[in-house]
Amino acid sequence: MKKIYVLIPVLALLASCQTQKDEYSVSGAFESVETVVSTEATGTIMQFDAQEGMTLKPGQFLGYIDSVQLYLKKEQLRAQISSTISQIPNIPVQVASLHEQLKQAKLNQARTEKLFKANAATQQNLDDANTQVEVINRQIDAQMSSLGKTSTTLSRDVAPLERQIGQINDQLSKCKIINPIFGTVLSKYSEAHEVAMPGKALYEIARTDSLTLRAYLTGSQLSQAKLGQIVNIRVDKGAKDYALYTGKIYWISDKAEFTPKTIQTKDERADLVYAVKIWVANDGFLKIGMYGEVKL
């Protein structure tokens, strides 16, 4: 009887271990979306501070590509704009003398009208005074029209130069190496003092504050998974311990595939499985390529 009492706890423990093992029957590997950051500028890389393993923030300045020629071109365009603007006529100033003449002509017209009413001036004198006012008005209109056309033409000449400066400003901004997303540098493809060309890869970065666990379900397990489902995940932590996480299923494949070679035996690779992607927040312990087990 003593043997029976000894075996019962042992059998219960084995059954418990087997049950626990079966709970985590879905496995997979952690991965992340990897982004290759390339340059859009041409020139020598003057500074490039990214290093493999470095964690970068969005908008972080990493270096720049030589932009001296672009800067000189921009200054040349600025000089052209200044020269063109200086030729735009100051219409009020240039017609000021005619306005003064018109003022005197109107005073003379008014005096002549009074003299004419007093029979101290002839009709010819009045007609001459009226004609003088009309002539000066026409001169003012003609000069303002001419100056206005000149001003409009020169202003139009400035507009394309300003657009060229806008293009150069855009090119200058692309000479700065700015990190686009939060993540860890996985690979560095370029170094300072190398020549960059548009499309040249500088480095590869992956977001690591959250990872995706790509796991595989058998046909019988597929019915237990659904989009938005919260699942428990465990990851090996040392020889006999586990780190526990929770994740959220956000993608389930609608097509079966053969079990990947990397996580199953040769016989099991012949089985058809369905891939699922599970979002998992990373506390810094999880690494790309690490294996995890899922409890549905």
Side-chain angles (χ1 to χ4, degrees):
M1 294 297 291
K2 291 183 179 179
K3 292 182 179 180
I4 294 175
Y5 285 108
V6 172
L7 288 173
I8 287 175
V10 174
L11 292 173
L13 179 60
L14 290 174
S16 175
C17 291
Q18 184 63 36
T19 301
Q20 185 177 7
K21 181 179 179 181
D22 291 340
E23 288 179 346
Y24 289 89
S25 56
V26 179
S27 61
F30 287 97
E31 59 185 34
S32 180
V33 176
E34 299 168 358
T35 301
V36 176
V37 180
S38 303
T39 177
E40 297 181 65
T42 300
T44 302
I45 301 175
M46 304 303 294
Q47 177 184 344
F48 187 35
D49 297 333
Q51 299 296 332
E52 293 180 356
M54 180 184 292
T55 299
L56 303 178
K57 298 178 181 179
Q60 185 171 338
F61 177 81
L62 298 177
Y64 66 96
I65 295 169
D66 181 29
S67 58
V68 172
Q69 294 303 315
L70 289 173
Y71 175 77
L72 293 176
K73 178 64 175 177
K74 180 179 177 179
E75 291 302 302
Q76 180 183 0
L77 290 170
R78 281 178 171 173
Q80 287 182 252
I81 290 175
S82 298
S83 175
T84 302
I85 290 176
S86 67
Q87 299 176 46
I88 296 177
N90 189 331
I91 296 177
V93 172
Q94 295 202 27
V95 297
S97 61
L98 286 175
H99 280 294
E100 185 62 29
Q101 293 179 35
L102 179 62
K103 180 181 178 180
Q104 296 301 322
K106 286 182 176 180
L107 291 174
N108 181 58
Q109 181 186 43
R111 286 196 298 269
T112 303
E113 286 178 349
K114 290 180 180 179
L115 292 173
F116 178 76
K117 290 177 180 179
N119 295 321
T122 65
Q123 182 66 45
Q124 182 65 43
N125 296 137
L126 181 59
D127 291 343
D128 290 343
N130 291 335
T131 299
Q132 186 180 16
V133 171
E134 184 177 353
V135 168
I136 295 175
N137 274 322
R138 288 179 179 178
Q139 288 178 342
I140 291 174
D141 291 341
Q143 188 164 0
M144 289 191 68
S145 176
S146 176
L147 294 174
K149 290 179 180 179
T150 301
S151 179
T152 300
T153 300
L154 292 172
S155 297
R156 287 175 179 173
D157 291 341
V158 168
L161 297 175
E162 291 177 337
R163 284 193 289 271
Q164 289 182 52
I165 287 182
Q167 291 175 339
I168 290 179
N169 284 335
D170 179 64
Q171 292 173 340
L172 285 170
S173 68
K174 291 175 180 177
C175 287
K176 297 179 182 179
I177 304 174
I178 305 296
N179 181 62
I181 62 173
F182 176 86
T184 301
V185 177
L186 302 181
S187 301
K188 184 178 180 182
Y189 303 123
S190 300
E191 298 289 345
H193 310 299
E194 292 182 357
V195 176
M197 299 290 290
K200 178 181 175 64
L202 298 177
Y203 62 100
E204 183 178 43
I205 187 172
R207 184 164 189 146
T208 53
D209 58 339
S210 63
L211 296 178
T212 294
L213 177 63
R214 181 189 285 268
Y216 296 89
L217 308 178
T218 63
S220 60
Q221 294 170 328
L222 185 62
S223 61
Q224 303 176 44
K226 62 181 180 180
L227 293 176
Q229 180 178 347
I230 304 300
V231 295
N232 293 321
I233 299 167
R234 71 180 184 185
V235 178
D236 289 337
K237 187 177 183 181
K240 298 181 180 180
D241 197 9
Y242 296 101
L244 300 178
Y245 297 87
T246 57
K248 181 178 181 180
I249 298 176
Y250 70 90
W251 177 83
I252 301 175
S253 175
D254 59 352
K255 296 181 181 180
E257 59 183 282
F258 288 109
T259 308
K261 298 179 180 181
T262 55
I263 62 172
Q264 297 291 345
T265 65
K266 183 175 181 180
D267 292 336
E268 291 172 325
R269 288 202 296 269
D271 296 334
L272 290 176
V273 293
Y274 295 84
V276 297
K277 292 182 180 180
I278 304 170
W279 178 90
V280 183
N282 188 6
D283 58 1
F285 174 75
L286 299 177
K287 305 294 187 294
I288 297 173
M290 184 180 288
Y291 286 95
E293 296 176 300
V294 183
K295 177 183 177 183
L296 294 175

